[in-house]
Amino acid sequence: MNGTARMPMPAFAPPPGRSRVAAEGIAAGLWWLFLLFSPIAVFRSGMPQPGDWIAALVVALLVTSGLLRRSLRFPVAALGPVRPLVLFVAYTFFITTAWAVWLGRVDLLIFPTFYLFNLCVLAGGLILLAERGPAFLRTTAWLIAVSVWVQALIPLFISLPGHHGGVRATLFFNNPNQLGYYAMLAGCICAVAYNNRLITLRVLLLTLVSAGWLAMLSLSKAAMLAIAALIVFQVVRRPALLVPSLAAVMLGGPVVGARLMEVPQIERTITRFASMGKQDDDSLAGRGYDRIAQKPEYLVMGAAEGAYDRFEAMSEGSELHSALGSLVFCYGIIGTLSLSLFVLRTFRLVSISDMLVLVPVVFYNATHQGLRFTHLWIFFFFVLGVGTLRAQAAAAAQAPRPGARLARPRMAVPAYRY
């Protein structure tokens, strides 16, 4: 699977009835619209965006269709990773409800609602994968790549407003960090797709270049470094790319570099990195990690998200600017272990090349709270989808052939549950 053989295409159940086919087709079409509209934020952060409403329609249609026919297909291999994720979401509701009652703050319940929605998006994608097969993952990767290409071209022709006097671009997001995070996750999804022969090398390279450009427009240092690491991992994975890459840099570097220095965004990027370590939020305290050291009693059960005025003396009473720190501080031992188990079980199903893609994601979330961002869960869905296909292919390879004699009886492993 490490770039040598094409992913085996698993066999699926017999063709379903016309009603199921119609429901599948509509849900899949809505999923494609969701991927295209998810980068567009019309309302302020925290409010449902157009893409969220479309995703909700996808889940509602799949659940309704499953209830009407009294069966819902779901990849069996994905059940192991999804169970601790369900526990994590349930615990976020439990601990947040407890704090909401204690503090008299019903508004805290908005935070676990994000995780419930993202769980539904991930489950909806897995159901569609079970219904439509590997082609569903391939189309998902292609649409994400096309979406990144289009967004990378827009700033070249249209001047869009941004933050900090227009220096940091936001495109259709509400803030520049969302743009950089989205670009990085899109690059990671396409890297996993390429590792499993779902897209070509040209598509991957064009997507990584476009994602890097979007990250530069956002001036997100974490996103730019994460995409750079992702590119390095791809070159290391394919040493054959190292020689032409070095040759291109040596031959075209001086000319291209001189022309790039004329682009204002390049100068802004250099200035941005030159200020690294000199800004208030470049320290652990600036990211809110001091809250963990000063309030260790919350590490057991969790402090839940929201009501940040409880920590007014620390980090100006704002949220902890780290997904890893927020996970430990807000959801304690149970929340941390359950989500960690989900990630561990998910990436155990894929190759080492796919595991390396997780490194940029973890790096970014060490300095930003990106746990509620829906595209993170699309990334997890994609990795888990690839893992389920690999698990099914492995189970099919071990299945006994007609007439073959086995030394020991082997239990049949179902590929999908009906």
Side-chain angles (χ1 to χ4, degrees), residues 83-299:
R83 286 192 185 104
L85 180 59
V86 173
L87 174 61
F88 168 74
V89 174
Y91 187 75
T92 62
F93 272 97
F94 168 75
I95 194 63
T96 304
T97 301
W99 277 108
V101 172
W102 178 263
L103 300 173
R105 298 281 299 272
V106 182
D107 59 300
L108 297 184
L109 293 175
I110 187 63
F111 294 100
T113 304
F114 283 111
Y115 300 118
L116 176 61
F117 172 78
N118 291 326
L119 171 63
C120 291
V121 170
L122 182 142
L126 291 173
I127 293 172
L128 284 173
L129 174 63
E131 296 283 1
R132 303 186 71 84
F136 178 72
L137 280 184
R138 179 178 291 108
T139 308
T140 296
W142 266 97
L143 283 176
I144 291 175
V146 171
S147 178
V148 173
W149 301 346
V150 172
Q151 292 182 75
L153 289 174
I154 288 177
L156 301 179
F157 303 97
I158 302 175
S159 178
L160 297 175
H163 282 216
H164 299 283
V167 174
R168 299 189 65 183
T170 60
L171 263 68
F172 302 109
F173 288 96
N174 284 326
N175 63 67
N177 286 331
Q178 290 178 352
L179 174 60
Y181 193 24
Y182 165 80
M184 185 268 293
L185 290 172
C188 291
I189 291 173
C190 288
V192 174
Y194 171 72
N195 292 342
N196 295 276
R197 301 296 182 89
L198 296 172
I199 61 174
T200 64
L201 179 60
R202 294 179 181 178
V203 174
L204 174 64
L205 293 178
L206 184 56
T207 303
L208 291 180
V209 171
S210 300
W213 169 244
L214 291 177
M216 289 177 59
L217 291 174
S218 71
L219 289 180
S220 172
K221 291 176 289 188
M224 288 187 282
L225 290 174
I227 293 176
L230 184 61
I231 295 174
V232 170
F233 289 153
Q234 292 303 309
V235 173
V236 171
R237 177 182 175 271
R238 292 178 61 89
L241 295 176
L242 185 59
V243 174
S245 299
L246 292 176
V249 171
M250 294 177 63
L251 296 176
V255 177
V256 176
R259 294 297 299 273
L260 286 178
M261 290 302 296
E262 300 175 2
V263 180
Q265 198 64 28
I266 302 298
E267 181 181 356
R268 294 169 184 169
T269 302
I270 296 175
T271 303
R272 179 77 168 162
F273 277 105
S275 64
M276 183 177 293
K278 301 177 182 178
Q279 297 177 317
D280 294 337
D281 60 352
D282 286 338
S283 62
L284 293 177
R287 290 292 168 182
Y289 281 99
D290 60 335
R291 191 175 302 168
I292 298 176
Q294 298 184 30
K295 296 288 184 178
E297 62 270 19
Y298 289 109
L299 300 181

Side-chain angles (χ1 to χ4, degrees), residues 23-35:
E24 290 177 16
I26 296 174
L30 290 174
W31 178 269
W32 311 142
L33 289 177
F34 161 62
L35 294 178

